Every structure is written in structure tokens, then in C-alpha cells.
Amino acid sequence: MADDRKPKEKSSVQLAIEGLLEKSIFGGRWLLAPLYIGLLLSMFPILFRFFKDFIVLIKMSANSDMHLVTLKVLELLDTVL
């Protein structure tokens, strides 16, 4: 009964397929690298616009009513999302 619980050894074909699959999945990450770099670079204009609008919000918040300030905060939130 103890022999039934022993793991079975894999054949050379199974090991070869498993190795090929592991290498393919691990190597596939390099296909996504240009996309990640593009997303990273596209964040710079968003950051610029966010901080530009944030400075405008700070300047106008002292002289504006609460509804306009809330609207501007929601616009900033929309920019972030």
C-alpha cells in the first residue's frame, strides 16, 4: 500500500515538454516589456496635467465657492483614473 503513494517518475518527453513550456512562459515577459515602457512614458503628460490643474485649484480655492472647488477636485480625480 505504501508503494501506491510514491510519485511516478516523468518520462523524458514529459520533461522536455515541461522545460519548453517553462522557457516559453518565462521568455514571454520580454514581449510585454515595450508595452510597460510605453505606459510608463505616457504617465509623464498625465502627471504634468495633474500638477498644473492642482496648482490652479490651490490658487482658486480661496476665492471660489465650494461647488466649483468640488468640481475641480472631481476633474483631478478623473485625470488620475
Side-chain angles (χ1 to χ4, degrees), residues 1 6 9 11 15 17 20-21 24 39 48-49 60 62 64 67 71-72 81:
M1 193 175 244
K6 232 191 322 185
E9 294 185 22
S11 69
L15 290 174
I17 291 173
L20 180 65
L21 186 63
S24 299
L39 287 173
F48 176 75
R49 179 177 170 199
M60 68 171 272
S64 298
H67 296 290
L71 181 64
K72 291 296 181 184
L81 296 177

Side-chain angles (χ1 to χ4, degrees), residues 57 60-72:
L57 172 67
M60 68 171 272
S61 64
N63 301 330
S64 298
D65 64 341
M66 193 61 183
H67 296 290
L68 187 59
V69 172
T70 304
L71 181 64
K72 291 296 181 184

Side-chain angles (χ1 to χ4, degrees), residues 13-29:
V13 174
Q14 287 175 328
L15 290 174
I17 291 173
E18 185 177 319
L20 180 65
L21 186 63
E22 287 175 356
K23 287 179 184 179
S24 299
I25 291 172
F26 190 69
R29 66 189 172 132

Side-chain angles (χ1 to χ4, degrees), residues 20-52:
L20 180 65
L21 186 63
E22 287 175 356
K23 287 179 184 179
S24 299
I25 291 172
F26 190 69
R29 66 189 172 132
W30 293 108
L31 295 173
L32 295 173
L35 301 176
Y36 291 139
I37 292 170
L39 287 173
L40 179 67
L41 294 176
S42 68
M43 287 182 65
F44 288 114
I46 294 171
L47 284 170
F48 176 75
R49 179 177 170 199
F50 176 83
F51 284 112
K52 180 181 156 203

